[in-house]
Amino acid sequence: MQALPGFRDFLPDDCSARNYIFARWREIARRYGFVEWDGPVLEPTELYKKKSGAEIVDQLFNFIDKGEREVALRPELTPSLARVVAAHEREFKKPLKWFSIGQFFRYEKQQRGRLREHFQLNCDMIGEANLAADIELVALCIDILRAFGFTEKDFVVRISDRDFWTDFLREKDVSADRWDELLQAIDKSGRESRETTAQKLGALAEPIFSILQGGGKSQKLDNLVDGLRERGLAGYVAIDVGIVRGLAYYTGIVFEVFDRAGKFRAIAGGGRYDNLIAQLSDGSVSMSALGFAMGDVVLGELVNDTPRAREAMENAIANNRKIDVYVVIAKEQRRGDALAQIQQFRDRGYRVDYPLTSEKVGKQFQTAEQLGARVAVLFGDEWPWVKTKTLASREELLIDNHELQSHIERVLSRSS
Ligand code: HAM
């Protein structure tokens, strides 16, 4: 039996890498004053049909449940967030700054950087229309990637503005019901042949191609970059009006993050969706909103591909795995005495391991080294004294077993 295509098993090393990613995500989101929340993994299919757009609806993992409801595994968090915020709007002070880490499911063709399940960090702000919020959000996204050891040489945030395109379409007298389809064509233009895009754009093909080639001008985007420049972060961003985003609900600033070398798919993406809450609540609650999501798959690939980031991850994982104390049982008669001390160590919060069955002393010390123990404690002929060995310095001491707990506490607080 194998896992389904596009689904991963997480062996201990994979779980360590995943936890490392989650820890950085959580740490930096909190640094920006975001609080954690989560929604259900299964939602009514209708939630996504309403506003996410055709691309996501095609990729839904959906089925009819035993109560005859049409349900779908969540492909993204934003519609759930809009639903929850509309229901609980009065309970929270605005702007809301919420983050979430969870698993998402899309029935996509499995390929490099795209699986059928992935984890995302979502960071969203609700109830703030000012550009200051867009700047703060992009800064957060940049700082999260910097926390992995990436620099402006490794990644770039490509920023655009849907208003730039909707203003253009309005100027060209294109009726609003065609905007979605044209925006999708512009979004795909980087990945599709010029002929296919030209066909979709019709008479607008030439002017749009020339904007895409020459770059557009937008005061709002310039202001956004200025805001990031004040923080010393302008080197991480580039204005690129070719970024439109596939999801249908975006209304203003949109952005996507890519590796500079262009080897991988998008690391993160997001933007403003000022109408979604009103649309999903049938107009009963209206609030401006913006956010982004960063996936674990491409991020993991980039970490592995960037020596500095990879080393930082490996060191963090190795340190996190280390145990504090390894108890060596040299004489089986002392096992009971050893276990009494082990229990006390663990009650104090130390990470402790020992051999479950009789083993040669040399092998036990080897295990202590492999587990990265800081101290080994040997229970043997010396009883009621025990031998302690600080593994880094090789320093050995004989300690009265009644003094052991306080001695170890001193040694560990010194070396931590
Ligand atoms: P998205 O661009 O669809 O945006 O996804 C965000 C990130 O999730 C992508 O940049 C990518 O790293 C990762 N991702 C998406 N699909 C897959 C997949 N099949 N396999 C692996 N990784 C994947 C959203 O989901 C929006 N809801 C983000 C947002 C939050 N907008 C506002 N708030």
Side-chain angles (χ1 to χ4, degrees), residues 81-96:
L81 175 63
R83 175 178 65 67
V84 168
V85 166
H88 298 275
E89 184 253 324
R90 284 160 189 275
E91 296 162 38
F92 302 98
K93 194 175 155 302
K94 293 348 146 256
L96 270 64

Side-chain angles (χ1 to χ4, degrees), residues 10-26:
F10 289 91
L11 298 177
D13 280 351
D14 307 315
C15 259
S16 297
R18 189 171 92 181
N19 287 341
Y20 171 76
I21 289 176
F22 289 3
R24 300 283 85 66
W25 281 353
R26 214 167 246 129

Side-chain angles (χ1 to χ4, degrees), residues 211-245:
I211 293 174
L212 288 174
Q213 220 159 32
K217 251 304 342 84
S218 149
Q219 189 58 49
K220 203 205 291 180
L221 287 171
D222 288 345
N223 292 347
L224 191 146
V225 175
D226 284 344
L228 290 164
R229 187 167 296 113
E230 283 172 356
R231 302 170 186 225
L233 298 177
Y236 290 91
V237 298
I239 294 177
D240 178 353
V241 290
I243 299 290
V244 183
R245 303 275 296 140

Side-chain angles (χ1 to χ4, degrees), residues 142-399:
I142 292 170
D143 273 345
I144 289 169
L145 290 167
R146 289 178 62 224
F148 286 92
F150 297 125
T151 68
E152 54 187 69
K153 292 197 177 72
D154 301 312
F155 72 92
V156 57
V157 184
R158 300 195 175 284
I159 310 183
S160 173
D161 183 9
R162 279 214 177 175
D163 285 340
F164 170 87
W165 286 111
T166 48
D167 287 350
F168 166 86
L169 295 173
R170 206 177 285 116
E171 234 172 67
K172 298 278 175 199
D173 279 332
V174 179
S175 71
D177 55 354
R178 285 202 58 215
W179 290 1
D180 237 19
E181 151 209 343
L182 292 166
L183 289 174
Q184 297 304 319
I186 299 170
D187 179 58
K188 289 211 169 75
S189 64
R191 282 164 276 151
E192 287 182 340
S193 72
R194 198 180 165 94
E195 294 72 52
T196 311
T197 308
Q199 221 165 29
K200 289 181 181 174
L201 296 176
L204 294 171
E206 281 320 311
I208 289 177
F209 281 140
S210 90
I211 293 174
L212 288 174
Q213 220 159 32
K217 251 304 342 84
S218 149
Q219 189 58 49
K220 203 205 291 180
L221 287 171
D222 288 345
N223 292 347
L224 191 146
V225 175
D226 284 344
L228 290 164
R229 187 167 296 113
E230 283 172 356
R231 302 170 186 225
L233 298 177
Y236 290 91
V237 298
I239 294 177
D240 178 353
V241 290
I243 299 290
V244 183
R245 303 275 296 140
L247 292 154
Y249 46 67
Y250 291 111
T251 51
I253 296 286
V254 282
F255 60 93
E256 284 189 341
V257 186
F258 292 94
D259 61 298
R260 283 268 186 204
K263 282 204 233 172
F264 304 104
R265 304 279 300 255
I267 305 162
R272 251 195 195 275
Y273 48 100
D274 283 344
N275 301 333
L276 186 66
I277 296 173
Q279 283 163 341
L280 288 183
S281 66
D282 294 324
S284 67
V285 180
S286 174
M287 264 193 291
S288 50
L290 66 161
F292 71 86
M294 184 180 291
D296 69 322
V297 179
V298 184
L299 178 62
E301 287 174 347
L302 190 61
V303 168
N304 281 322
D305 198 60
T306 312
R308 192 182 331 98
R310 188 170 157 170
E311 197 181 313
M313 178 177 77
E314 285 170 352
N315 287 341
I317 290 174
N319 279 330
N320 194 39
R321 274 204 190 155
K322 280 184 184 158
I323 62 164
D324 298 307
V325 181
Y326 193 83
V327 171
V328 174
I329 303 176
K331 273 265 172 322
E332 277 306 305
Q333 295 96 296
R334 298 276 74 83
R335 185 171 282 275
D337 301 312
L339 282 165
Q341 295 282 1
I342 288 167
Q343 187 65 39
Q344 282 193 53
F345 283 135
R346 287 179 173 162
D347 285 349
R348 285 166 183 249
Y350 294 126
R351 299 176 178 181
V352 185
D353 215 343
Y354 69 98
L356 286 171
T357 55
S358 164
E359 254 178 36
K360 289 214 171 80
V361 170
K363 192 141 180 261
Q364 294 186 50
F365 273 106
Q366 227 176 25
T367 309
E369 299 272 3
Q370 281 161 1
L371 295 177
R374 287 195 275 164
V375 189
V377 183
L378 184 138
F379 287 74
D381 285 336
E382 299 81 1
W383 189 259
W385 295 65
V386 292
K387 203 191 269 180
T388 66
K389 181 171 176 181
T390 307
L391 288 163
S393 64
R394 310 265 144 204
E395 185 192 358
E396 290 189 4
L397 286 174
L398 263 185
I399 308 282

